[in-house]
Amino acid sequence: MGRIAYVNGQYLAHGAASVHIEDRGYQFADAVYEVWALFDGRLADPDGHFTRLNRSLSELKIDPPMSREALTVVLKETVRRNRIREGLVYLQVSRGVAPRDHAFPSPDIAPSVVVTVSRVDRAATEARALRGVGVITQPENRWGRCDIKTVGLLPNVLAKQAARERGAVEAWFVDEMGLVTEGASSNAWIIDANGTLRTRDAQSNILRGVTRTTLIEILGLEGITLSEQPFSVEEAKAAKEAFITGAGSLVLPVVTIDGTPVGTGEPGPMASLLRRHYIKQAKASSI
Ligand code: PDD
């Protein structure tokens, strides 16, 4: 059986699924998205993603297309029809379809809703976590509202491509002060030379990662101290450990930054431990 996509009330063959050419997501990136990790057919960290989705929609003044309960049914039904147990669930909500005009359509139009599910090879991603990954650094060039999870991701796309061309998996954006903001599709963490676990505070211009939030809760339970202080590229290169978090990467050890080995050049014990803790917690909270 082939892949299935949900588009505006219909479950369609993935290859035949489409949105209108005047969808505002397509023309203006006037749309938001969410990505859930899928463990054994269940959505991880559901509350965090639904809450952030509603916040992103409200910041863009897009009405929620349906209730959380109805959306949960749609997401789970799309998962079921795809027969995928381990993977990622992608949801995109755009302002809708209207003749091209920058300002919002008046009267309001119905938002467009798309859901897709993709398979993840957990054996391959676990093997990657055991090896660790490389990141590169790139100048921060995104807009000032990275807290909203919009599909306007061109700087992230270009940064990720630059990483790939240099054999790395992620790119860390670096602001004018030389401080790391976050990754192109993940949050950035280090255990600095003094042994302090650090990640940038989410009041600044970064996405408040749901994985980040859950991991902070786990740290609290485990009695591990966290400093929400930004760190420089130099501090990161001199760190004992580094890792990234996100629905796709979960908790993923970083072993090189711009080709410089981090710590021993092997995945750090804390990053590896936190990966296990996170996966356990994500599975327990999944629906
Ligand atoms: N990206 N920062 C950015 C810029 C991101 O795009 C993401 C997630 C994160 C981590 O957020 P979370 O823990 O809620 O997944 C941080 C998703 C996975 C993506 O674009 O595919």
Side-chain angles (χ1 to χ4, degrees):
M1 196 191 69
R3 290 178 70 193
I4 301 292
Y6 172 90
V7 185
N8 296 327
Q10 290 184 294
Y11 296 94
L12 302 169
H14 191 270
S18 59
V19 292
H20 194 273
I21 53 169
E22 284 195 312
D23 190 283
R24 291 178 61 94
Y26 177 59
Q27 291 194 326
F28 295 117
D30 189 1
V32 304
Y33 75 106
E34 277 298 329
V35 180
W36 286 259
L38 195 64
F39 291 104
D40 197 20
R42 293 152 62 100
L43 302 162
D45 277 334
D47 294 348
H49 288 285
F50 283 117
T51 303
R52 189 175 61 192
L53 171 68
N54 282 337
R55 179 177 181 277
S56 297
L57 289 168
S58 128
E59 290 298 311
L60 298 193
K61 301 188 172 67
I62 298 175
D63 286 336
M66 59 186 97
S67 68
R68 174 178 165 162
E69 290 69 29
L71 191 53
T72 305
V73 170
V74 168
L75 296 174
K76 291 182 78 68
E77 180 62 12
T78 314
V79 170
R80 193 187 69 76
R81 289 183 187 230
N82 279 279
R83 300 181 187 206
I84 291 178
R85 310 297 295 173
E86 303 296 322
L88 292 169
V89 178
Y90 177 84
L91 165 73
Q92 180 169 323
V93 181
S94 84
R95 194 177 307 279
V97 176
R100 187 174 184 278
D101 179 11
H102 290 65
F104 298 172
S106 178
D108 276 355
I109 51 171
S112 300
V113 183
V114 169
V115 181
T116 57
V117 186
S118 57
R119 202 179 298 278
V120 167
D121 178 347
R122 291 267 176 240
T125 53
E126 284 311 309
R128 186 173 73 162
L130 288 175
R131 288 191 305 272
V133 299
V135 303
I136 63 161
T137 57
Q138 292 278 290
E140 178 63 90
N141 58 356
R142 299 175 301 161
W143 75 323
R145 291 304 310 274
C146 295
D147 58 308
I148 310 173
K149 199 162 172 61
T150 82
V151 302
L153 291 172
L154 192 52
N156 310 55
V157 165
L158 297 177
K160 200 71 130 178
Q161 178 61 19
R164 186 156 302 172
E165 286 169 9
R166 287 164 57 186
V169 159
E170 181 59 301
W172 282 357
F173 290 112
V174 180
D175 69 14
E176 287 176 349
M177 313 275 288
L179 301 170
V180 174
T181 52
E182 62 178 330
S185 65
S186 60
N187 291 114
W189 304 63
I190 62 166
I191 298 174
D192 70 16
N194 299 321
T196 305
L197 178 59
R198 284 162 70 180
T199 194
R200 192 173 180 121
D201 65 287
Q203 312 309 324
S204 45
N205 190 33
I206 65 165
L207 187 74
R208 185 184 290 270
V210 173
T211 317
R212 175 188 183 282
T213 301
T214 297
L215 194 60
I216 291 175
E217 286 164 15
I218 293 171
L219 295 174
L221 293 173
E222 295 296 315
I224 300 168
T225 309
L226 170 69
S227 165
E228 289 187 63
Q229 290 292 324
F231 51 84
S232 67
V233 176
E234 290 66 36
E235 285 176 303
K237 287 181 179 168
K240 294 186 162 142
E241 297 189 31
F243 60 92
I244 55 176
T245 58
S249 45
L250 308 176
V251 178
L252 187 58
V254 169
V255 292
T256 61
I257 300 170
D258 291 331
T260 304
V262 178
T264 61
E266 303 276 321
M270 179 63 94
S272 304
L273 177 73
L274 293 178
R275 179 178 177 88
R276 290 196 293 278
H277 276 312
Y278 173 75
I279 291 174
K280 194 168 157 217
Q281 170 60 28
K283 284 180 178 171
S285 74
S286 63
I287 58 166

